[in-house]
Amino acid sequence: MIRSELIQKIADENPHLYQRDVERIVNTIFEEIIEAMSRGDRVELRGFGAFSVKKRDARAGRNPRTGESVAVEEKHVPFFKTGKRLRDRLNGK
């Protein structure tokens, strides 16, 4: 499912809301998650999962084409851990 499909599904299930309002709501939710993560905060949606940021230390990598050693800088990457309800649903429980 992509963002536009999510917006359409929510709009279809809530006919009292205008599509542009649903779009604004969905975009606001995503922006708030992004903002929180960019500050290094953890975002938890009970039953669904938790978004957090993990730090990857600098390391020595290899160029696969030449085999030459290259320095890979420290970086922060998004991480998602599924919630119990989502995990159970995926596993048919």
Side-chain angles (χ1 to χ4, degrees), residues 8-89:
Q8 188 62 51
K9 183 161 180 61
I10 293 171
D12 291 345
E13 291 180 5
N14 296 281
H16 61 283
L17 295 174
Y18 292 111
Q19 175 133 359
R20 67 177 181 270
D21 293 337
V22 172
E23 187 172 347
R24 191 175 303 133
I25 291 166
V26 169
N27 288 338
T28 301
I29 291 169
F30 287 143
E31 284 302 316
E32 287 302 315
I33 292 171
I34 291 168
E35 283 297 315
M37 290 180 68
S38 68
R39 292 189 306 264
D41 295 342
R42 183 172 183 267
V43 178
E44 183 178 336
L45 304 171
R46 296 272 172 176
F48 181 70
F51 297 92
S52 60
V53 178
K54 292 207 175 205
K55 179 182 163 213
R56 294 227 176 122
D57 293 328
R59 61 185 173 84
R62 293 227 175 263
N63 180 332
R65 190 171 290 177
T66 64
E68 176 185 338
S69 183
V70 292
V72 178
E73 295 180 0
E74 166 187 291
K75 61 183 165 185
H76 295 86
V77 294
F79 178 76
F80 178 74
K81 182 176 182 194
T82 58
K84 183 176 181 337
R85 199 165 111 208
L86 175 60
R87 237 184 348 265
D88 289 347
R89 192 123 181 229

